[in-house]
Amino acid sequence: MTVSAVDVAISGAKDIAGNLQEPNQVTGAFAIDTANPSVVSATLDVASLSDTEVGDTVTLTVVFDEGMDSSHAPTIETNATTTLTNASNGQWLNETTYTIDYTVADGGVDIANITFDVSGARDAAGNVQAAATAVSSGTSVDTENPSV
Protein backbone atom coordinates (compact mmCIF):
# COMPACT_ATOMS: atom_id res chain seq x y z
CA MET A 1 0.00 0.00 0.00
CA THR A 2 1.21 3.48 -0.82
CA VAL A 3 -0.48 6.67 0.31
CA SER A 4 1.50 9.69 -0.78
CA ALA A 5 -0.02 12.30 1.54
CA VAL A 6 -1.93 11.66 4.75
CA ASP A 7 -3.94 14.58 6.13
CA VAL A 8 -4.35 14.98 9.89
CA ALA A 9 -7.11 16.92 11.68
CA ILE A 10 -6.87 17.48 15.42
CA SER A 11 -9.63 19.10 17.49
CA GLY A 12 -11.35 18.84 20.84
CA ALA A 13 -8.27 18.35 23.02
CA LYS A 14 -7.96 20.20 26.33
CA ASP A 15 -4.90 21.19 28.30
CA ILE A 16 -4.51 20.50 32.03
CA ALA A 17 -6.39 23.73 32.87
CA GLY A 18 -9.36 22.69 30.71
CA ASN A 19 -8.69 25.12 27.87
CA LEU A 20 -9.96 23.87 24.52
CA GLN A 21 -7.39 23.45 21.79
CA GLU A 22 -7.66 25.44 18.60
CA PRO A 23 -8.56 23.02 15.78
CA ASN A 24 -5.55 22.18 13.63
CA GLN A 25 -5.53 20.76 10.11
CA VAL A 26 -2.26 19.51 8.57
CA THR A 27 -2.36 18.61 4.89
CA GLY A 28 0.18 16.06 3.69
CA ALA A 29 1.55 15.47 7.18
CA PHE A 30 3.25 12.19 6.20
CA ALA A 31 3.22 9.36 3.67
CA ILE A 32 2.71 5.61 4.03
CA ASP A 33 4.60 3.18 1.81
CA THR A 34 4.41 -0.53 2.56
CA ALA A 35 4.61 -1.67 -1.09
CA ASN A 36 7.58 -3.85 -1.99
CA PRO A 37 9.48 -2.62 -5.04
CA SER A 38 9.96 -4.98 -7.96
CA VAL A 39 12.23 -5.50 -10.94
CA VAL A 40 10.90 -4.17 -14.26
CA SER A 41 13.74 -5.50 -16.43
CA ALA A 42 17.25 -6.93 -16.47
CA THR A 43 19.07 -6.44 -19.77
CA LEU A 44 22.59 -6.96 -21.02
CA ASP A 45 24.09 -4.47 -23.46
CA VAL A 46 24.59 -7.19 -26.10
CA ALA A 47 22.08 -9.41 -27.90
CA SER A 48 24.29 -12.49 -27.92
CA LEU A 49 27.63 -13.76 -26.61
CA SER A 50 30.06 -16.13 -28.32
CA ASP A 51 33.76 -16.98 -28.29
CA THR A 52 34.43 -13.65 -30.04
CA GLU A 53 33.41 -11.70 -26.90
CA VAL A 54 35.61 -13.70 -24.49
CA GLY A 55 37.55 -11.18 -22.38
CA ASP A 56 35.13 -8.34 -23.14
CA THR A 57 33.15 -6.49 -20.49
CA VAL A 58 29.35 -6.51 -20.72
CA THR A 59 26.99 -4.48 -18.57
CA LEU A 60 23.77 -5.65 -16.96
CA THR A 61 21.16 -2.95 -16.34
CA VAL A 62 18.45 -3.69 -13.77
CA VAL A 63 15.45 -1.33 -13.67
CA PHE A 64 13.13 -1.14 -10.63
CA ASP A 65 9.55 0.15 -10.54
CA GLU A 66 10.19 2.85 -7.92
CA GLY A 67 12.94 4.91 -6.28
CA MET A 68 15.44 2.73 -4.44
CA ASP A 69 17.80 3.22 -1.48
CA SER A 70 21.27 3.44 -3.06
CA SER A 71 22.92 2.19 0.14
CA HIS A 72 21.43 -1.28 -0.51
CA ALA A 73 22.80 -2.94 -3.65
CA PRO A 74 20.79 -5.87 -4.99
CA THR A 75 22.12 -9.43 -4.94
CA ILE A 76 22.30 -10.71 -8.52
CA GLU A 77 22.73 -14.29 -9.70
CA THR A 78 22.62 -15.69 -13.22
CA ASN A 79 22.15 -19.00 -15.02
CA ALA A 80 25.32 -18.16 -17.00
CA THR A 81 27.85 -18.21 -14.14
CA THR A 82 30.56 -19.87 -16.24
CA THR A 83 30.25 -17.17 -18.91
CA LEU A 84 29.51 -14.00 -16.91
CA THR A 85 32.41 -13.76 -14.45
CA ASN A 86 34.19 -11.21 -12.26
CA ALA A 87 31.18 -9.05 -11.41
CA SER A 88 32.42 -5.50 -10.78
CA ASN A 89 31.50 -1.82 -10.75
CA GLY A 90 28.00 -2.35 -9.33
CA GLN A 91 26.42 1.08 -9.01
CA TRP A 92 23.16 2.99 -8.95
CA LEU A 93 22.90 5.20 -12.06
CA ASN A 94 19.79 6.88 -10.71
CA GLU A 95 17.06 6.07 -8.20
CA THR A 96 15.57 3.25 -10.30
CA THR A 97 18.53 1.88 -12.31
CA TYR A 98 21.36 -0.36 -11.10
CA THR A 99 24.23 -1.54 -13.34
CA ILE A 100 26.95 -4.12 -12.91
CA ASP A 101 29.74 -5.25 -15.25
CA TYR A 102 30.79 -8.82 -16.04
CA THR A 103 33.80 -10.23 -17.87
CA VAL A 104 32.86 -12.73 -20.59
CA ALA A 105 34.56 -16.12 -20.21
CA ASP A 106 34.59 -19.18 -22.42
CA GLY A 107 32.25 -21.30 -20.33
CA GLY A 108 31.69 -23.87 -23.05
CA VAL A 109 27.91 -23.48 -22.80
CA ASP A 110 24.95 -22.89 -25.07
CA ILE A 111 22.14 -20.95 -23.35
CA ALA A 112 19.21 -19.61 -25.36
CA ASN A 113 18.26 -16.99 -22.75
CA ILE A 114 20.49 -15.67 -19.97
CA THR A 115 18.35 -15.04 -16.89
CA PHE A 116 18.97 -13.23 -13.63
CA ASP A 117 17.71 -13.56 -10.07
CA VAL A 118 17.60 -10.19 -8.32
CA SER A 119 16.94 -9.77 -4.59
CA GLY A 120 17.82 -7.78 -1.49
CA ALA A 121 17.45 -4.20 -2.72
CA ARG A 122 15.34 -1.74 -0.72
CA ASP A 123 13.21 1.19 -1.80
CA ALA A 124 13.55 4.70 -0.39
CA ALA A 125 10.98 3.84 2.33
CA GLY A 126 13.00 0.79 3.41
CA ASN A 127 10.72 -1.88 1.92
CA VAL A 128 12.62 -4.96 0.73
CA GLN A 129 12.34 -5.70 -2.96
CA ALA A 130 10.14 -8.62 -4.00
CA ALA A 131 12.65 -11.26 -5.16
CA ALA A 132 12.69 -11.59 -8.94
CA THR A 133 13.65 -14.99 -10.29
CA ALA A 134 14.66 -16.01 -13.80
CA VAL A 135 14.24 -12.50 -15.23
CA SER A 136 14.85 -12.84 -18.97
CA SER A 137 17.62 -10.68 -20.40
CA GLY A 138 16.88 -11.61 -24.00
CA THR A 139 20.59 -12.36 -24.49
CA SER A 140 21.86 -15.75 -25.63
CA VAL A 141 25.30 -17.30 -25.19
CA ASP A 142 27.08 -19.91 -27.26
CA THR A 143 30.64 -20.61 -26.26
CA GLU A 144 30.25 -24.35 -26.76
CA ASN A 145 32.83 -25.65 -29.18
CA PRO A 146 31.60 -27.87 -31.99
CA SER A 147 32.45 -31.55 -31.79
CA VAL A 148 32.86 -34.21 -34.40
Side-chain angles (χ1 to χ4, degrees):
M1 172 179 80
T2 302
V3 179
S4 59
V6 176
D7 298 338
V8 177
I10 304 169
S11 62
K14 294 182 183 181
D15 67 14
I16 198 162
N19 299 311
L20 192 59
Q21 166 214 338
E22 290 287 324
N24 187 13
Q25 176 84 24
V26 180
T27 303
F30 58 92
I32 298 172
D33 180 357
T34 60
N36 299 88
S38 60
V39 171
V40 174
S41 63
T43 54
L44 287 165
D45 60 355
V46 293
S48 64
L49 296 169
S50 67
D51 288 334
T52 356
E53 287 79 31
V54 170
D56 289 356
T57 299
V58 294
T59 301
L60 172 69
T61 300
V62 180
V63 177
F64 293 87
D65 67 345
E66 63 176 288
M68 304 298 285
D69 178 350
S70 63
S71 68
H72 287 88
T75 299
I76 301 173
E77 297 179 11
T78 180
N79 66 336
T81 56
T82 59
T83 301
L84 299 178
T85 63
N86 301 323
S88 63
N89 300 323
Q91 64 182 325
W92 289 98
L93 291 184
N94 56 47
E95 66 179 16
T96 60
T97 306
Y98 185 82
T99 63
I100 190 165
D101 295 336
Y102 294 94
T103 302
V104 179
D106 185 352
V109 297
D110 186 0
I111 302 171
N113 183 27
I114 298 174
T115 62
F116 294 91
D117 297 341
V118 183
S119 63
R122 294 180 184 267
D123 69 11
N127 300 309
V128 177
Q129 165 223 332
T133 56
V135 179
S136 171
S137 69
T139 298
S140 63
V141 59
D142 183 1
T143 57
E144 190 171 48
N145 295 330
S147 61
V148 179

